[in-house]
Every structure is written in structure tokens, then in C-alpha cells.
Amino acid sequence: MSDSTAIAHGAAAGTHHEHPPYLRHHFESVDQQTDASNFAMWLFLLTEVMFFGGLFTVYMIYRNWYYPAFSAASHQLDVMLGGINTVILITSSFTMALAVWCAETRKKSGLVAMLVVTFLLGVVFLGIKGHEYKEKWDKHHFPGASYSVQAFVNPASDPLQVNAQGKPLAPLAPDMAARTEMYFCLYFAMTGMHALHMLIGMGILIFMIFRARAGAYTEGHSAYVNYFGLYWHFVDIVWLFLFPLLYLINRH
Amino acid sequence: MSATIISLPDQSTARIPKRNYLTQENGILSWLLTQDHKRIGLLYLMSITMFFFIGGALAGLIRLELLTPQSDLLAADTYNKVFTMHGIIMIFFFLVPSVPAVLGNFFLPMMIGAKDLALPKMNLASWYFYMAGGILALWAMITGGVDTGWTFTTPLSTHYVNTNVVTTGLAIFIAGFSSIFTGLNFIVTIHKMRAPGMTWFRLPLFVWSNYAAAVLMVLGTPVLATALILVVLERVVGIGIFDPTKGGDPLLFQHLFWFYSHPAVYIMILPGMGVISEVVSTFSRKRVFGYTAVAFSSVAIAVFGFFVWAHHMFIMGISSYAALVFSLLTMLVAVPSAIKIFNWAFTLYKGSITFETPMLYAFGFMGLFTIGGMTGVFLGTTGTDIHLTETYFVVAHFHFVMVGGMLMAFLAGIHFWWPKMTGRMYPEKISQLAALITYIGFNLTFFPQFILGTLGMPRRYAAYPAEFQVLNVFSTAGATVLGVGYLLPMLYLTWSIKYGKIAGDNPWQATGLEWQTQSPPLTENFAEMPVMDHEAYDYEWLERQKEKEVASVG
Amino acid sequence: MSEPNHNERHITSPTVYFAVYVALLAGVGLTILASYHNLGIFNPILALAISIAQAGLVVLFTMHLKDSSKATVLSVGCALFILMILFGMVFMDYYSRAWGSW
Ligand SMILES: [Cu+2]
């Protein structure tokens, strides 16, 4: 019952020790406040888990139904770019963790630097992602009226439709080739939803960089950096699942 | 009905306390920007009442149309829009937020001895999300409506209708945030904000059931969001995930939709069950029988609630093996629900029962919910479901649970806590009459629908064979009575805000912490931090408290 | 209760973060490497296993779940359980549809 002792303690001590300015009126102690907010942040992330969970369910159903189409279509993705992006995101997660550490140990310039690096890595990630999207768009692999199955019914015409040994993949029957559109739907929906989360995160990062320069997080109240860190790591985790599921189907 | 436990202060000297949460600040902004959970509760109460009467008016239109076998008052497609909007408004904008967002918001922090919910800003944001979603839904209704039924079933919603599916879908998506925020707030508050001495097994059962509902809100709603987003994407850019011509499976939508929407019925009913626990205990002057069993049955309902969703899809083409599993699991949910009903019955046994309005509604709940729940077992059985599904039997079943159960519980709660919210009593005699009218009207409206359903009258049609007319006339007549039953509280409760008797701190002699402070409460709820030194529903403790007070005054 | 530093939580040192970082990079390398070898059914299983291990590391150490309150740990467990119910029961339907009716 750590929370109730904290309350009793705060109530008793209320008269003789200063309440810091960031303690909200309805909490009895800073401990209770950080505890509650941290828990709330986790719960929010769990709602995100369920949200992506719905998308993953859809993905896995169709991957099983249309495995040949998913396998062929995933060869359109560049493992190199995807891998680089994965490394970038993991690195940004690492710098974000360092930012949390800087805030906790009250290193202001370190904190600002780490937040800026995290932000920049996010920009690079989205840049590469945008480049990949554009490639798909140019090759008519964006789902919709202009979608083209050319690369899958006639793999010899497409340099990307080759296996690890460089031999062209087997062509798909027209009805299975049409199902590659489903793969790209899911590809865009899932990576798009992930990119949206990154965009939101980067918006918050800009705000936090300015606040950090003003010293907001390095004077004892580092909690917000920590909460944001949780969010950023979560976005990272989602990508750790998206990468093998979307890029690495049947590569051998 | 002469015995009563109401104990009011001497009306000639009693005054509403000068300083309370209503008088703390003035002006419209002090309401729109408030972070006080009690004021947000009232904002919710007003908006929910508005949506309830809009949804009710639509229900009235449906019943009027069904007075005659032909589709004469409304054209068939208008009728489709009317029942769809009735469902959407009642479910997403009334039933889901009703008890948690109004009564839970107001009383949950007080019951656990906290000053506020853990995240007051998020609480206010939840009301704005609710309003944004609600207004968007109304706007969709005014600018052409939507006719998919509240279930947005694919491929009807994605390919065959040309109404405001996207706008309505987004409206529900937005309202979903309000639900998630409320649920999240409750969970954090119950875990982290309890007063000293308030252990988990001293929590009032209202708190337990809201906790269970909050878990469902937090874990279920995001999946609904996924489903709706995919429908919107399907309509806007045609991604094909639910489109058979592109290899999609329309049934997958229903899996995702019902994964939320079955637990959603527990989001609706669980908080109502919490109200009933409070009311039954208070008006029979006994601790709730089997407190622990009732508390855990809420959690059990929440957990089982996630295992059974496909019973809405038995005839839709899921595998018969899956149907078998889901059917068996559905039966399981009946167990914790029955535990609650039996425990309330045992609470009544040898209690000193009095029949104030909240108790009348609670009796209504127990009877009607039992019928609604038992008929649910018929529908959960795959064999009978094939005959009964998509008939008026289903309509009657969920209205018994939702209107007979949930709405009765909501009204019980509103009457029970009205003195605490406003500081004044509602007029007892007329409200007892209203409770009676509601009960009669309800049975007259919905019982015939069970018969209609077994006779084979399908739901969701504007016209029906002439031989069903007699029962439909009964049903429409009942709806009129029911309408009166709902208008009355609206009128006399409004009247009582100004003219009701002054209630004092604890008119019911109830034991909850919320009753041990002034009415209406202070903004910070309690003058000093309460310490919980007794079990929940300990009426002997209350007696000792009173003796102490008398002794100290004397 | 040590009064002034009461709200100073346990601070995770950068070494831990770095160790997790290196492990994650190794995991990515391993996933890519494994995907270019024919392991049959184990290709997707191994890829998912590595992802889950990576996620576990991030959740436990980088996100400090290891040092979090019991309520948080329990909630995470509960959500994962419900997620498995979603996956498992939807797949159960799709898998058994192929068996036809009885
Ligand atoms: Cu159900």
C-alpha cells in the first residue's frame, strides 16, 4: 500500500514542507503524481497496442490466405533501406533514453542535444520512408485504380523480382497477382499509421526542445521527458515488428 | 410504502452550504474550462440527457411507423436511417458514457476519498471529444443520415449504401477517445488515489464495477477504432480489405467490430450493476451479501466478455467449430451475472427494505435484467440462434438488458445521488409514480416483441405482415407510456433544483464516503482527508458515528 | 522515508541503455541474416521470436518496466493476454473454416 502511505505522509507533512510548483493540487505528494502519470502513460500505450493489434490481425489473416502474393510483393521493398531505417530508429530510441538520463541527472545541454539528435534521426527515418513511398507510387504499386500487377505476372520485367541467388521469381497467376494489392494496402496502412505516430512524436519533440532549453526538465521534474520517452520507445517497438513482417517474407 | 429511511434536516433552519462546488466559481467559462470532476460530471449529464431525448424521439418515430403494417409514415429508406441513428446515438452517445461519465465521474473520486480524478485535464478533454463526436454525428444525421444500422456491417457499409458512413464513422472514432480517456482516468485513479485505509476490499462495489468497465474501455475501444478506420479507408480510397472482389473478407470487419462491441455491452451494464449494489444495500440496510463474490464477478464479466464476441456472427459464415466454442464461452458469462443477481437477492433477505424511488428502479433492474440475460442464453445457443437471430426477439433481448437494465440503473443512480449532487431532494411521491410508469410502459413495449420475434417478425423493416399488427400496437402504446415515464423525471428533477427539500449530508443514512461530506460537496470534496477505518457498507459503524456526534453536541 | 530525494526514482545508467542498444542492433542483423537462409516454417517463427525478444528488452530496460509498480506490470500482462485472445480466437475461426461444416 505504498500509495496510501504516501498520502498519509503528504497530509501530515503538508504544513511544514514546501510543495514544488509542479505538484498539482489534487495530489498529496510528487511521488503520487509521478506514479499516477507514469501509470496513465503506460495505459495509453496499451490502447495503442490494441489499436495496432487490430491491424496486425488483418495482416496475418491475409498473409496466410495469399502467401504467394505477399511473398512476391514484399520483394518490391528494399531490405537495405528498411534495415537502415530500423537501425536509425533503434539509434533514436537510444538517444531518447540518453535524454531521459540527462534530464534525471540535470544535464541541460546534454538533454537538449539528445532531444535534437532524436528529432533529426526521426527526420531521416521519415525521409527514407518518403523515398520508399515515392518509389512505390512511381511503379504504380499504390493501391487504387492505377495499380499495376505487371511486376508479378511477368517478374522477368522487374529487376527487383529476384530471389537471393539473383534468379527471377516464378510468375504469379493473375488472380493471385491481383492480391498483391492487398499487401500494399496493408503496407501503406501499417507503415502510414506508424509514420503518423512518429510525426506526432516529432511535433512533441519540437515543443520539448524549446522547453528543455528554458530548463524546464532539468530542475528536478524530469517526468515529462520520461513519459515522452515511453511513447517514443513504443513507436520503435512497433517498427521492430513491422520490419520483419513486411520486408522479410521469403527472402531466401 | 409508509416506512422510510429518509432523514432530512429541519427544513425551517436548514441551509444549502454557502461554499460548494457549484458556487465556487461563476460564469460560463468556469464551467467550460473546469477541471473539477463534479462539474464535468454535470456537463456530461446535460449533454447525455440531450442525446437521450434525441435518440428517444427517433425511437418514437420507429414505433409510430410500426403502428401499421405498411410503410406509410416513413419511406423504407428513411426508416432505415431513423433506426440507425437511434442505435448510434443511444449506444455511443448515451449508454456507453451514461453511468461512468456522469455518476462515475462525479462519485468515484469521492467514494475512494480523493480530491479529484488523477488526470483532470484529460477528463475535461474527454467531454470535448464526446461533444465533438456527438455534434459530428448529429451533423451527419441532418445532412442525409446513415442507414447501415449501428453495426456498420460490411460490405453493406463499404459498398452498397451511399449515405454519410464516413462522417458517422469518424464521429464514433472521436467519441471513442472520450471513452478511452474516461476509462484510463478511472483505472489510474482507483490504483493511485485511494485515501488512507481504503484497501481494495473496502471499495464500494460501484467502484469495482466501474473499474471492470474501465478495463474494457481501455482495451476494447482501440480495436473498434481500427475497424472504423479501415471502413473509412475502404470508402475513401478503396483499400479492399473488406472487399471480396479484391480478395478481402467482409467478415473480418465483424470480428474486429464485435471484439469491441460485445465487451461494450458490459461497458454499458457493469457500471449500472454497481449502482444497483449501492442502492440495494442502502435501502435494505445490509452489507451486500457476498461482497467479494460480487466484486470478482465484475472482473470475471470483464474478462469473459472478451471471449465471446462471435456469438453475433453465428449465421454470418464463421466456421461451425468456432461457433461451438463461442457458444460455450457465451454460457460462461451467465455465471458471474447470476452471481450478482443472487447476491442482491440474498442482500434483500431479512433486510429492512424500504421502497424509495431508487429502490423501485433497482427492483425493476433486477427483474428485467434477469429476463434480458436469460433470453441472451437462448441467443447464445447456436441452434436457437439460427431461428431467432435478426428477429424482434433480439431487439427485445437487448432492450431488456439495455433499457430495462441499464436505463433503470441509471435512473436509480440519478435519483439516489441527486441529493448529493444538488443538495436538494427530488419529490418522492411523483418519482415513485414515474418509476412505476416506466416499469409498466417498458414491459408493454418490449414484451410483445419477444412474441413477435418467436413468430418470426424480422427486425429492421419498415413494413410487416398484417397478422403482427396487434402486438405492434401494444408495443407502440407501451412506448408512449414509457415516454411519459422518462419525461416526468426530467421535469420534476429540474423543478427540484430550486424547490426541492434541503437534503442535508446524508438523507439515506448511507455508508459511502461520498455521504460523509456536505451536499453539494466542496470543490475539494472533503474538508479534511478522510481516513477509511471500517469495511464498506458497515451500517453499525454509521450508527456509532451518529452516537458520537450526538454525544459531542450534547 | 528519506525525505528530500523521495521523488528521485531509480536512475537507469547509460551503460544499460547502451547494452540494450547493442543487443537490438545484433537482433536486427540476425533477423536479416536469418531471412536469407531457408529455414522453412522457422523463418517467420524465428523473425517473430527475435522481434519479441527485442521488444522485451526495450520494455523491460529502456522503458523501465522492470522497476515499475506492480499495477503497471499487471496491466501490461493483461493487455498482452487480451491481444492474444484477439489473435487466437480470430485465427481459430479462419483456421477451422477450412474444415467445412460437420
Ligand atoms: Cu454479445
Side-chain angles (χ1 to χ4, degrees):
Chain A
M1 216 81 320
S2 64
D3 38 341
S4 53
T5 47
I7 297 166
H9 167 75
T15 44
H16 61 79
H17 83 145
E18 285 291 294
H19 277 197
Y22 46 80
L23 177 60
R24 307 281 315 277
H25 72 279
H26 58 291
F27 290 111
E28 293 300 328
S29 67
V30 175
D31 227 26
Q32 190 194 18
Q33 174 170 322
T34 10
D35 232 32
S37 317
N38 193 54
F39 186 38
M41 192 65 212
W42 273 98
L43 287 178
F44 170 72
L45 294 182
L46 295 180
T47 69
E48 293 274 26
V49 168
M50 295 308 292
F51 179 79
F52 279 99
L55 288 176
F56 277 105
T57 314
V58 176
Y59 169 83
M60 286 199 247
I61 295 288
Y62 291 133
R63 177 187 158 128
N64 275 330
W65 273 12
Y66 307 127
Y67 183 71
F70 272 53
S71 157
S74 88
H75 280 74
Q76 287 294 315
L77 303 190
D78 190 335
V79 177
M80 183 66 141
L81 288 182
I84 290 175
N85 251 354
T86 312
V87 172
I88 288 173
L89 211 54
I90 291 176
T91 313
S92 86
S93 199
F94 175 57
T95 55
M96 190 60 224
L98 290 183
V100 173
W101 177 74
C102 287
E104 281 168 342
T105 51
R106 308 191 180 198
K107 295 180 174 54
K108 188 172 127 185
S109 52
L111 170 66
V112 175
M114 282 305 129
L115 290 177
V116 170
V117 173
T118 309
F119 178 81
L120 291 179
L121 288 170
V123 173
V124 177
F125 178 94
L126 287 181
I128 292 178
K129 198 79 237 160
H131 170 73
E132 287 187 277
Y133 280 175
K134 177 145 191 317
E135 265 180 10
K136 308 284 168 299
W137 179 267
D138 289 344
K139 285 180 82 171
H140 297 286
H141 285 157
F142 190 81
S146 66
Y147 184 78
S148 154
V149 293
Q150 176 62 25
F152 310 110
V153 286
N154 182 15
S157 71
D158 192 309
L160 290 176
Q161 292 305 106
V162 291
N163 66 9
Q165 287 75 42
K167 297 202 190 90
L169 296 172
L172 293 176
D175 59 336
M176 187 51 86
R179 300 299 169 247
T180 53
E181 195 178 352
M182 183 71 81
Y183 171 84
F184 283 106
C185 283
L186 285 162
Y187 168 77
F188 280 105
M190 294 168 92
T191 56
M193 211 49 91
H194 177 261
L196 180 69
H197 279 80
M198 290 204 55
L199 276 177
I200 295 170
M202 284 157 67
I204 302 172
L205 262 176
I206 295 180
F207 169 78
M208 279 176 54
I209 290 169
F210 281 104
R211 296 260 297 144
R213 281 165 55 108
Y217 308 119
T218 34
E219 272 146 31
H221 191 47
S222 61
Y224 283 109
V225 185
N226 194 19
Y227 306 149
F228 178 77
L230 291 178
Y231 175 80
W232 195 255
H233 300 317
F234 167 77
V235 176
D236 181 34
I237 290 177
V238 173
W239 182 260
L240 286 176
F241 284 92
L242 287 180
F243 174 63
L245 285 182
L246 292 171
Y247 284 75
L248 301 177
I249 310 175
N250 205 15
R251 281 285 173 178
H252 48 269
Chain B
M1 289 193 195
S2 55
T4 178
I5 53 162
I6 303 179
S7 82
L8 298 180
D10 179 5
Q11 292 296 312
S12 56
T13 55
R15 289 281 176 278
I16 298 271
K18 270 235 158 46
R19 202 166 79 79
N20 62 47
Y21 78 100
L22 294 166
T23 58
Q24 180 86 3
E25 281 176 290
N26 288 312
I28 184 90
L29 274 186
S30 78
W31 283 89
L32 290 181
L33 300 177
T34 184
Q35 291 180 26
D36 179 358
H37 65 103
K38 298 180 286 299
R39 286 186 167 213
I40 297 170
L42 287 195
L43 288 176
Y44 260 119
L45 177 60
M46 285 183 270
S47 23
I48 272 169
T49 310
M50 179 185 89
F51 280 105
F52 173 72
F53 280 102
I54 295 172
L58 293 166
L61 277 179
I62 294 173
R63 280 320 319 167
L64 271 182
E65 161 57 43
L66 294 177
L67 201 52
T68 55
Q70 310 79 27
S71 137
D72 36 23
L73 176 69
L74 303 171
D77 58 338
T78 319
Y79 179 82
N80 291 348
K81 289 177 182 173
V82 169
F83 78 69
T84 300
M85 291 311 297
H86 165 71
I88 288 172
I89 288 180
M90 285 303 202
I91 285 174
F92 294 110
F93 299 102
F94 176 73
L95 287 167
V96 167
S98 60
V99 171
V102 178
L103 298 171
N105 234 333
F106 201 111
F107 292 106
L108 192 138
M110 298 183 71
M111 285 178 162
I112 64 173
K115 285 183 189 163
D116 204 325
L117 286 173
L119 309 151
K121 279 184 196 156
M122 187 183 255
N123 195 17
L124 181 65
S126 107
W127 183 70
Y128 278 101
F129 273 109
Y130 169 81
M131 286 311 280
I135 288 167
L136 195 57
L138 287 183
W139 186 71
M141 177 170 89
I142 295 163
T143 56
V146 58
D147 58 356
T148 59
W150 76 277
T151 50
F152 293 98
T153 310
T154 52
L156 177 72
S157 62
T158 46
H159 291 87
Y160 296 104
V161 299
N162 223 350
T163 46
N164 292 333
V165 178
V166 171
T167 325
T168 320
L170 288 177
I172 295 168
F173 181 79
I174 294 169
F177 280 101
S178 105
S179 193
I180 288 177
F181 286 175
T182 305
L184 202 157
N185 227 331
F186 281 6
I187 297 179
V188 177
T189 308
I190 297 169
H191 271 283
K192 305 289 180 187
M193 307 285 284
R194 282 171 284 127
M198 182 60 87
T199 61
W200 280 89
F201 291 100
R202 284 178 176 173
L203 289 173
L205 289 166
F206 180 76
V207 177
W208 272 97
S209 58
N210 269 284
Y211 181 81
V215 172
L216 296 175
M217 289 183 193
V218 167
L219 295 179
T221 319
V223 181
L224 175 73
T226 317
L228 289 175
I229 284 290
L230 290 175
V231 166
V232 168
L233 285 177
E234 180 87 61
R235 279 192 78 93
V236 176
V237 288
I239 57 172
I241 282 175
F242 303 132
D243 180 357
T245 60
K246 289 183 183 166
D249 179 18
L251 206 51
L252 187 52
F253 167 80
Q254 291 198 33
H255 272 301
L256 296 178
F257 180 84
W258 288 113
F259 180 80
Y260 164 77
S261 293
H262 181 79
V265 307
Y266 301 120
I267 295 178
M268 301 176 217
I269 198 76
L270 273 169
M273 290 170 156
V275 174
I276 300 303
S277 292
E278 299 298 312
V279 169
V280 166
S281 167
T282 302
F283 294 98
S284 44
R285 317 302 300 160
K286 262 180 72 189
R287 179 180 161 83
V288 174
F289 183 88
Y291 170 96
T292 329
V294 179
F296 278 122
S297 68
S298 294
V299 180
I301 289 179
V303 175
F304 293 164
F306 275 118
F307 292 22
V308 300
W309 74 85
H311 59 214
H312 298 267
M313 304 156 63
F314 284 160
I315 60 152
M316 306 289 181
I318 61 167
S319 89
S320 42
Y321 305 91
L324 178 76
V325 173
F326 277 105
S327 174
L328 284 172
L329 290 170
T330 300
M331 307 296 163
L332 270 186
V333 185
V335 176
S337 315
I339 288 178
K340 281 182 189 290
I341 292 284
F342 283 127
N343 279 296
W344 291 325
F346 284 125
T347 310
L348 294 173
Y349 179 68
K350 287 195 174 170
S352 345
I353 303 169
T354 53
F355 295 89
E356 284 80 8
T357 315
M359 192 60 160
L360 293 184
Y361 280 116
F363 279 126
F365 175 99
M366 283 188 264
L368 301 177
F369 175 77
T370 306
I371 297 178
M374 296 299 284
T375 49
V377 178
F378 301 179
L379 292 168
T381 314
T382 38
T384 42
D385 183 65
I386 291 169
H387 176 65
L388 293 172
T389 195
E390 303 297 331
T391 70
Y392 261 82
F393 192 89
V394 176
V395 178
H397 155 68
F398 68 72
H399 280 88
F400 262 75
V401 179
M402 289 299 133
V403 186
M406 177 57 208
L407 200 55
M408 291 275 179
F410 179 68
L411 287 170
I414 289 287
H415 283 89
F416 181 57
W417 281 299
W418 190 253
K420 185 50 73 182
M421 291 198 266
T422 62
R424 289 180 186 272
M425 298 299 289
Y426 57 85
E428 187 65 45
K429 281 281 167 276
I430 184 167
S431 63
Q432 283 172 330
L433 182 70
L436 207 64
I437 293 176
T438 315
Y439 188 76
I440 294 168
F442 177 85
N443 279 298
L444 197 53
T445 312
F446 292 106
F447 200 82
Q449 296 184 2
F450 275 128
I451 306 169
L452 282 169
T454 30
L455 292 177
M457 176 171 161
R459 62 191 284 211
R460 296 185 165 172
Y461 283 91
Y464 54 86
E467 67 256 37
F468 295 141
Q469 190 173 11
V470 178
L471 287 167
N472 271 298
V473 170
F474 269 116
S475 187
T476 302
T480 323
V481 180
L482 197 55
V484 175
Y486 293 142
L487 265 176
L488 274 176
M490 173 81 191
L491 297 176
Y492 63 72
L493 287 178
T494 316
W495 172 88
S496 76
I497 293 174
K498 193 127 203 247
Y499 304 105
K501 287 186 189 148
I502 290 180
D505 292 359
N506 194 356
W508 311 125
Q509 303 304 305
T511 55
L513 282 184
E514 79 272 27
W515 296 106
Q516 317 308 326
T517 181
Q518 67 175 48
S519 331
L522 295 164
T523 300
E524 60 272 25
N525 292 345
F526 302 98
E528 54 190 85
M529 166 69 65
V531 177
M532 186 74 172
D533 52 6
H534 57 280
E535 300 301 311
Y537 313 112
D538 186 347
Y539 291 94
E540 285 165 20
W541 168 83
L542 195 71
E543 289 305 314
R544 286 199 300 278
Q545 253 348 66
K546 268 194 286 182
E547 277 161 29
K548 255 189 241 165
E549 248 166 62
V550 173
S552 65
V553 170
Chain C
M1 246 178 277
S2 56
E3 181 51 28
N5 284 334
H6 195 198
N7 67 323
E8 299 287 329
R9 313 181 134 255
H10 173 70
I11 295 175
T12 311
S13 92
T15 345
V16 174
Y17 293 137
F18 188 72
V20 172
Y21 177 55
V22 172
L24 291 183
L25 288 181
V28 176
L30 196 62
T31 320
I32 297 179
L33 199 68
S35 74
Y36 281 95
H37 289 85
N38 190 357
L39 308 173
I41 179 79
F42 290 104
N43 271 100
I45 293 178
L46 183 66
L48 274 182
I50 296 174
S51 294
I52 291 170
Q54 286 175 318
L57 284 179
V58 175
V59 167
L60 284 178
F61 297 102
T62 320
M63 295 169 82
H64 317 119
L65 186 67
K66 196 172 63 70
D67 306 319
S68 293
S69 65
K70 263 187 234 149
T72 314
V73 179
L74 199 70
S75 312
V76 173
C78 179
L80 291 181
F81 174 69
I82 298 296
L83 188 67
M84 289 308 127
I85 294 294
L86 172 63
F87 288 163
M89 295 190 80
V90 173
F91 296 155
M92 176 190 77
D93 170 33
Y94 280 84
Y95 188 70
S96 60
R97 265 189 224 173
W99 300 348
S101 3
W102 53 6

